[in-house]
Amino acid sequence: MVQASLTNLYEERSDLAAARSAMFGDKIADICIVGAGFTGLGAALTLAKAGSNVYVVEAAHVGGGASGVNGGQVHPGQRRDQLWLEARIGKARARAVWDIAEEARLWLTEVINQYAIDCAYRPGLLHIAHRKRHFHALAEDAEHLTRHYGVTELEVLDAREIEKYTHMHGAFGGVFNPHGGHLDPLALTRGLALASEAAGAQIYEQSRVLKVVPDGNAWRVITNIGSVRARAVLLSGDGSLDALSDVAAAHVMPLVNFMIATAPLDPALADSVLKGMIAASDTRFVVNYFRRTEDNRIIFGGGESYGSSLPRNFPKRVRTRMLELYPQLVDAPITHGWGGKLGITATRLPFVRQLNAGLYVASGYSGQGVMLAPYTGRIIAQAMLGDNTRFREMASLPVPSLPGGRCLRRPLLTAAMIGFGLLDRI
């Protein structure tokens, strides 16, 4: 049962901010940040607290991009597991980027608590194997994290034991991680915006950036209604930077994700999907990800589109994927449906670079942005302030150009993604 007209469930939570104006005229700032999402606001908060004059310029509204439409899951570590990273960048660097991810996780909870951001954060993350060999890989990863990275309390569950947390059709086991969790991502974004403004940052909405050009020893950010001259600029926007950076376009592929939410369920039915207010994802290449809310809804994301807009029938497509795993939800009404543009890279690691002196970019979080993106913004802010220690590690992550360049990347990657999606079902 799918309602005819569906909207973003996150939008129903009240926005505490006063109306923000567009940016008219020509202005001067120390730093200009393009995009009022996780990355941009993590940078804005850090810079404003350090005393910088910071302008944040947003094409739509705070959280209007990827930060307001994602699955809200907090995954510890990087998007790739540590064994994968060790094999490609060595144990020392793999440890360094693990430590950065841990700092990101702890900083996120610190900021939520410090600024009393009401984003319904709940701990608990279940990673479910949909193939037996994937279960062995998950178990190996958990053992490696415990032995070599000091991670505690990881719970490895075989196909029978996973019933403790979920009654999912076709589960071959999984790993429960109490250090992960989930939250309302739009509420988090709005809270970061309020914290940034309280520290002195200025946020302008409905101001689309058209281009960023050199201006003497600085940069000029030109919008449809004005401009900002700044000594340093951060381009943020997961999957939405094609028009502003050819380099980002060559490394980050935009795609559209979509999700649905059920009506509040009977607690026993909600328990059959997820026992307690936890989140989960599976090991498919085209991932299914879902979580249980405080009012016993199931928010379920699955499938993706390689165009630039939501397909008309996306709620039915997502519901079909949900029922393949949880046929017990066949009579659950679908009350909300939404999605938006995200960014992925060839290695699923974020694309973080300094393009020119004073010009930075961060994009392509590949589903790991809730935890990593705010702290990546903080790392770039620290580099702008003179400490580039962590920035060097993030900027050296292996993120090659996408095959086919800017013109052919979409058809080539779409074909590859469709092929991997078919393998999920074979």
Side-chain angles (χ1 to χ4, degrees):
M1 293 180 286
V2 180
Q3 291 186 1
S5 179
L6 299 178
T7 57
N8 186 341
L9 176 64
Y10 304 143
E11 294 280 2
E12 295 191 356
R13 186 183 288 263
S14 297
D15 187 356
L16 302 178
R20 297 182 177 93
S21 66
M23 191 197 69
F24 293 97
D26 298 325
K27 303 183 182 296
I28 297 175
D30 295 330
I31 313 291
C32 182
I33 296 168
V34 179
F38 292 148
T39 305
L41 295 171
L45 177 59
T46 302
L47 289 163
K49 288 182 67 176
S52 297
N53 179 23
V54 184
Y55 281 21
V56 181
V57 185
E58 166 59 43
H61 54 81
V62 167
S67 299
V69 297
N70 62 79
Q73 297 197 2
V74 177
H75 287 262
Q78 300 286 340
R79 180 66 168 80
R80 290 289 193 169
D81 64 51
Q82 290 305 114
L83 285 167
W84 188 96
L85 286 167
E86 288 174 10
R88 286 156 181 82
I89 64 176
K91 291 184 178 181
R93 288 182 57 207
R95 179 73 206 209
V97 295
W98 169 266
D99 289 343
I100 287 173
E102 278 295 276
E103 291 173 9
R105 181 177 66 85
L106 296 174
W107 189 71
L108 179 63
T109 56
E110 176 185 319
V111 167
I112 290 171
N113 293 330
Q114 180 179 352
Y115 296 99
I117 299 176
D118 182 15
C119 59
Y121 177 76
R122 294 289 181 272
L125 186 68
L126 181 65
H127 200 180
I128 305 170
H130 83 291
R131 294 284 185 269
K132 185 176 292 187
R133 59 187 172 86
H134 293 168
F135 170 66
H136 295 314
L138 291 180
E140 181 184 21
D141 177 57
E143 192 276 335
H144 188 71
L145 290 175
T146 300
R147 175 175 295 185
H148 298 285
Y149 289 83
V151 180
T152 60
E153 302 178 280
L154 296 178
E155 192 175 355
V156 178
L157 308 151
D158 64 23
R160 177 182 56 83
E161 293 166 334
I162 203 170
E163 295 286 321
K164 173 181 177 181
Y165 292 105
T166 184
H167 299 291
M168 174 179 151
H169 177 72
F172 283 83
V175 174
F176 181 76
N177 188 339
H179 308 296
H182 63 105
L183 49 76
D184 180 328
L186 181 56
L188 172 62
T189 312
R190 289 169 170 173
L192 288 171
L194 289 173
S196 300
E197 289 172 320
Q202 299 182 67
I203 300 174
Y204 295 95
E205 298 181 325
Q206 305 301 325
S207 303
R208 180 173 296 278
V209 175
L210 304 178
K211 56 184 176 179
V212 179
V213 297
D215 188 356
N217 61 351
W219 296 91
R220 186 165 294 277
V221 178
I222 301 172
T223 78
N224 56 325
I225 51 177
S227 71
V228 182
R229 187 179 191 272
R231 67 171 177 83
V233 172
L234 167 58
L235 303 177
S236 68
D238 199 24
S240 299
L241 294 177
D242 274 19
L244 297 180
S245 171
D246 288 339
V247 177
H251 290 80
V252 181
M253 171 72 175
L255 59 81
V256 177
N257 76 314
F258 19 88
M259 289 171 286
I260 57 175
T262 69
L265 304 177
D266 177 85
L269 180 57
D271 278 347
S272 75
V273 179
L274 290 172
K275 183 72 171 179
M277 305 303 167
I278 64 173
S281 61
D282 66 19
T283 55
R284 287 171 172 80
F285 186 84
V286 181
V287 179
N288 293 311
Y289 50 97
F290 40 102
R291 61 193 186 91
R292 179 175 170 180
T293 65
E294 294 171 299
D295 60 353
N296 291 323
R297 295 177 188 269
I298 299 298
I299 296 177
F300 191 97
E304 50 203 26
S305 169
Y306 311 110
S308 58
S309 59
L310 284 167
R312 183 173 298 179
N313 66 338
F314 80 88
K316 292 183 178 179
R317 288 169 57 178
V318 181
R319 180 175 180 269
T320 297
R321 292 177 69 102
M322 181 179 74
L323 294 182
E324 287 174 352
L325 306 183
Y326 297 101
Q328 63 265 42
L329 297 179
V330 65
D331 294 323
I334 305 302
T335 58
H336 296 77
W338 68 99
K341 190 183 294 185
L342 309 178
I344 62 170
T345 65
T347 54
R348 300 300 187 270
L349 298 170
F351 180 66
V352 181
R353 298 289 188 273
Q354 184 175 11
L355 303 179
N356 296 101
L359 181 61
Y360 298 80
V361 63
S363 185
Y365 291 99
S366 307
Q368 197 79 346
V370 176
M371 187 193 75
L372 278 183
Y375 197 69
T376 299
R378 178 173 173 80
I379 287 171
I380 294 172
Q382 290 171 336
M384 290 177 173
L385 294 169
D387 178 6
N388 66 353
T389 307
R390 292 171 180 80
F391 177 79
R392 287 198 307 267
E393 294 292 348
M394 293 297 288
S396 64
L397 286 173
V399 184
S401 297
L402 294 164
R406 184 167 185 168
C407 295
L408 294 178
R409 62 175 184 166
R410 186 177 296 277
L412 288 175
L413 195 58
T414 298
M417 297 288 277
I418 291 173
F420 282 118
L422 289 174
L423 288 176
D424 281 340
R425 295 176 173 274
I426 295 175

